[in-house]
Amino acid sequence: MTGHGKTALKIVLVLAAIGAGMWVGSTVSPPPEVEEVESPERRVPRPELPEDYREPVTEHPPPRSMTLEYLDVGLLLAALVLASLFALKWRSRAGIFVLVVGCLVYFGFVRKGCVCPIGATQHVSEGLAGGFVVPITVLAFFLLPLVFALFVGRVFCSSVCPLGAIQELVLVRPLKVPGWLEEGLGLFAYIYLGLAVLLASTGALYIICQFDPFVSIFRLSGNVQILALGGLVLLVSMFVGRPYCRFLCPLSVLLRGGSKVAVTSTSITPDECVQCRLCEDACPYNAIKAPAEPTHDRRTGKVTLGLLLLALPAVVALGVWLGGLSSESLAGTHHTVRQARAVRAEETLASAGMADEVEAFRQTRRSVRELYDREAELLGQFQRRAALFGGWVGLVIGMKLVLLSLRRTRTDYEAEPGQCVACGRCFRHCPREHLRLARRRGEVDPEEQTQ
Amino acid sequence: MANKNDNGTEKPTRRDLLRAGVRGAALLSLGSGLGLGMGALGRRSSGDGRVWQINPDKCIQCENCASYCVLNPSAVKCVHATGICGYCELCFGYFDAAGVQTTGAEGQLCPTGAIHRQHVSGPDYEYAIDEDDCIGCGRCVEGCNRDGNGAFYLQVRHDRCVNCSQCTIAEACPSGAFVRLPATRPYLLREPEAS
């Protein structure tokens, strides 16, 4: 089969899979509405006002129009298309750079970083769990980068994401992070994703947004802790390329996965690798992998792999157990659980004075039983989902060990698609690229080359 | 990348087949997972945007709205439902109940003097809020809810709010009064009873 035929087949398969999934998935019920609470009584009778008196009316300005929200989706799509073309077709670092600046200004400073695909992971989690109606625009923000990742790799990361952009631009002197540290720190992103899904799906909080180090910079406001965190991450970003993307970003987990199996992705060379090693140090993000022979022989490899595969269920089970143990404290992030605990502390006279949560509860004039029932329901939910989260952490660690023990042979210098953020820095390091550019300018006669 | 195996006439090895199989399976499952999510969300999504709002009946005026918003001053403001206002001469949303009760700054409850009053007739006074001065602390709301008709209450003002995915005030709200509403009905207003 030809290369083109293969690519076409892959595209058809992905589209068919997406379609089939959509058909199966469209069978769920919609979520609840706003809770009714009694208003304060009207104590003062309305006076007789003079005939000619005109009562003032308070205006209630509408939110930003939906047209503008749809326009944002359009801009995101346009930016993704441009990013794909710059990285894969035109191979232009300059183009990518301009796009980075543009997206940082618009999605970062103008739109103040909300809504972003990273945060939208949480809307989607809460939506899938049934607690939230996801606006189409938010859904589009979540899905577009993923769909692009499945076809052309992490082009969203390269130039569209404002969080990536700000790190990309402040990088002055990249230090090489050793492989073992890279692999180890990379696990945090998976754990963070699990935690974010757990907390958002239970309706507790959107942790990604709460600890977004850059949003306070986009808004030029925020409390001291978050500004300090932002400053610190920016400082680190000057010497370590994109630390947030590589070690923390929860969305990167999904994009990495998509990119690894993508139909195509950004490559260092425009045609073939000549093993010149010139690109070896070109990537500040450790995405370029050198040709390698397996470090161990087949037999020891098989034994290690067997042992690790046997250990995998044990690691997952350990995770499930630890996750279950942590559910009590994780549940404390949910408002209703906090309120129930405060009310219980007050009822058992364990706390002096009335906490705000208790006052708020009394004002609703609901029964304590109702509150405790809701708390028990939430605790059960946290118990189950925290166990799942623990299992996920176990699985991630176990699978990492398994994957590290696989024997891999690599013959060329390659941009590992999972880690490559398609920034285009390596293009000009490749002599084949220079040849391509020269050919395009007409300086080299192609006939002469082939002889 | 994909065409690397195309250059020779050699048969693919078992390893090649395995790798292609794993890749294909992963691609298919990711694709169908994506589709599954899209389909499931199709029923739970809406063309409307979602915006934050305060349920005024759950609010306990803890003053967090004034300090936790990412904006300074806060996008939460006191609004005045004139239709249910009692036009009280001695308004406990306006006067400091514990203080000297003069119309001078020392007698007013509002820390920024954002409430202005004007005589209408007899003992009746009209109250108006200057939103640019209001910081959303809700002290006036507390007074009006306690002794008056609850005509003062806090609302997220959508000409100011930047609609963060996670509202920082909602996170700090002790009463769980923050809700997300469809952008087409973005306020929870107190209306005069239809009688």
Side-chain angles (χ1 to χ4, degrees):
Chain A
M1 200 188 282
T2 64
H4 279 300
K6 247 186 190 169
T7 313
L9 180 67
K10 275 191 207 165
I11 293 175
V12 170
L13 279 179
V14 178
L15 288 178
I18 292 177
M22 278 177 77
W23 181 65
V24 177
S26 57
T27 46
V28 279
S29 54
E33 276 294 309
V34 179
E35 189 185 345
E36 290 275 337
V37 181
E38 228 175 289
S39 296
E41 57 177 305
R42 311 260 157 97
R43 297 174 186 85
V44 187
R46 296 263 296 163
E48 287 290 325
L49 295 165
E51 295 261 319
D52 58 341
Y53 174 73
R54 297 223 354 218
E55 193 160 54
V57 181
T58 310
E59 294 291 327
H60 299 288
R64 190 168 181 265
S65 90
M66 274 318 277
T67 321
L68 290 176
E69 304 280 329
Y70 284 117
L71 190 72
D72 282 348
V73 175
L75 283 175
L76 176 74
L77 181 63
L80 283 168
V81 169
L82 271 181
S84 315
L85 290 171
F86 280 134
L88 285 101
K89 191 167 165 58
W90 301 327
R91 297 177 58 83
S92 161
R93 168 71 189 154
I96 291 174
F97 188 82
V98 172
L99 193 58
V100 167
V101 175
C103 289
L104 176 62
V105 169
Y106 186 72
F107 292 112
F109 289 98
V110 177
R111 293 295 300 123
K112 313 277 182 208
C114 264
V115 60
C116 82
I118 306 174
T121 316
Q122 304 162 113
H123 295 93
V124 171
S125 309
E126 197 181 357
L128 283 174
F132 178 56
V133 183
V134 186
I136 293 282
T137 46
V138 175
L139 193 57
F141 260 75
F142 173 70
L143 289 175
L144 280 175
L146 281 185
V147 172
F148 271 77
L150 272 179
F151 287 100
V152 289
R154 293 173 65 180
V155 290
F156 169 73
C157 305
S158 77
S159 26
V160 189
C161 177
L163 279 69
I166 196 166
Q167 296 171 86
E168 177 89 30
L169 294 184
V170 297
L171 180 61
V172 284
R173 197 176 175 77
L175 302 174
K176 192 103 181 151
V177 178
W180 59 269
L181 191 60
E182 175 96 30
E183 301 281 355
L185 290 176
L187 290 178
F188 281 111
Y190 291 79
I191 297 171
Y192 197 19
L193 174 70
L195 189 64
V197 170
L198 165 73
L199 294 181
S201 71
T202 46
L205 82 154
Y206 283 13
I207 195 172
I208 304 175
C209 301
Q210 202 175 6
F211 294 100
D212 181 341
F214 303 112
V215 78
S216 55
I217 298 170
F218 298 147
R219 299 207 170 108
L220 304 171
S221 79
N223 63 33
V224 182
Q225 294 96 310
I226 208 77
L227 279 172
L229 179 69
L232 183 74
V233 177
L234 269 192
L235 192 70
V236 175
S237 313
M238 291 169 71
F239 305 102
V240 178
R242 294 183 177 237
Y244 186 82
C245 311
R246 278 152 85 192
F247 310 130
L248 276 176
C249 178
L251 187 67
S252 82
V253 172
L254 304 179
L255 295 176
R256 260 184 249 192
S259 189
K260 266 190 184 146
V261 295
V263 174
T264 176
S265 63
T266 311
S267 75
I268 307 169
T269 164
D271 36 41
E272 54 174 331
C273 177
V274 290
Q275 314 259 355
C276 66
R277 302 180 57 188
L278 286 172
C279 65
E280 218 169 29
D281 294 320
C283 185
Y285 311 128
N286 261 357
I288 296 182
K289 303 291 176 218
E293 285 295 310
T295 48
H296 43 260
D297 68 83
R298 184 171 282 262
R299 262 212 24 236
T300 36
K302 262 188 185 161
V303 172
T304 328
L305 186 61
L307 284 177
L308 283 172
L309 281 176
L310 280 179
L312 188 61
V315 179
V316 173
L318 181 70
V320 169
W321 181 63
L322 288 176
L325 285 187
S326 70
S327 75
E328 283 277 316
S329 43
L330 284 172
T333 55
H334 196 287
H335 171 260
T336 308
V337 176
R338 269 204 309 270
Q339 192 169 44
R341 284 175 184 172
V343 169
R344 189 175 294 111
E346 206 228 0
E347 301 245 303
T348 54
L349 299 173
S351 78
M354 187 142 82
D356 282 346
E357 276 90 355
V358 182
E359 191 189 335
F361 172 70
R362 300 277 181 243
Q363 187 171 306
T364 61
R365 293 189 205 138
R366 284 175 198 280
S367 74
V368 182
R369 183 95 315 260
E370 201 180 328
L371 179 68
Y372 289 169
D373 284 348
R374 177 82 187 111
E375 185 204 18
E377 191 187 319
L378 280 166
L379 283 178
Q381 207 175 62
F382 266 96
Q383 186 84 44
R384 288 187 296 276
R385 293 186 189 170
L388 273 178
F389 165 59
W392 163 254
V393 174
L395 184 70
V396 162
I397 295 173
M399 280 308 287
K400 183 93 236 171
L401 293 175
V402 169
L403 290 176
L404 283 176
S405 77
L406 286 182
R407 283 159 46 93
R408 280 167 204 268
T409 9
R410 197 186 299 275
T411 48
D412 294 333
Y413 281 89
E414 280 171 1
E416 201 280 303
Q419 273 164 287
C420 171
V421 292
C423 70
R425 275 197 174 79
C426 54
F427 295 161
R428 68 188 169 83
H429 289 261
C430 181
R432 300 293 301 178
E433 174 75 4
H434 288 278
L435 197 59
R436 180 183 78 93
L437 293 175
R439 243 186 236 143
R440 210 177 53 181
R441 288 192 300 266
E443 284 167 18
V444 183
D445 179 15
E447 291 302 311
E448 190 184 325
Q449 273 299 305
T450 49
Q451 280 159 18
Chain B
M1 268 201 21
N3 47 20
K4 208 170 298 149
N5 291 336
D6 298 343
N7 49 8
T9 48
E10 290 167 41
K11 268 199 195 161
T13 63
R14 212 162 37 163
R15 177 174 286 266
D16 285 340
L17 281 179
L18 185 70
R19 187 167 296 162
V22 169
R23 261 178 73 107
L27 194 62
L28 277 184
S29 55
L30 270 175
S32 49
L34 199 65
L36 200 70
M38 273 158 75
L41 281 168
R43 292 286 295 277
R44 281 180 189 156
S45 65
S46 127
D48 282 346
R50 282 293 181 278
V51 293
W52 292 99
Q53 195 46 272
I54 299 170
N55 182 346
D57 300 335
K58 285 184 99 177
C59 167
I60 57 159
Q61 301 91 43
C62 65
E63 299 195 15
N64 279 356
C65 287
S67 47
Y68 279 87
C69 184
V70 295
L71 301 178
N72 188 20
S74 172
V76 171
K77 303 289 174 193
C78 175
V79 295
H80 184 22
T82 46
I84 58 174
C85 175
Y87 286 78
C88 312
E89 184 175 12
L90 190 59
C91 168
F92 284 106
Y94 181 76
F95 289 114
D96 186 348
V100 278
Q101 285 157 27
T102 74
T103 53
E106 73 279 12
Q108 290 179 28
L109 192 59
C110 180
T112 59
I115 307 175
H116 304 288
R117 79 171 194 166
Q118 211 181 346
H119 183 238
V120 179
S121 71
D124 303 332
Y125 282 83
E126 173 190 303
Y127 294 85
I129 295 158
D130 184 342
E131 266 186 23
D132 289 333
D133 288 343
C134 176
I135 55 165
C137 68
R139 288 182 204 178
C140 58
V141 177
E142 190 180 8
C144 185
N145 275 356
R146 188 186 57 233
D147 299 316
N149 286 351
F152 284 159
Y153 57 99
L154 294 179
Q155 287 285 281
V156 174
R157 303 299 276 168
H158 293 299
D159 50 342
R160 298 169 191 268
C161 174
V162 290
N163 204 16
C164 303
S165 292
Q166 172 65 69
C167 171
T168 48
I169 317 173
E171 196 42 50
C173 176
S175 49
F178 274 74
V179 286
R180 281 179 295 204
L181 297 179
T184 43
R185 324 179 252 117
Y187 291 93
L188 288 171
L189 301 177
R190 284 185 179 160
E191 310 282 0
E193 264 94 350
S195 56

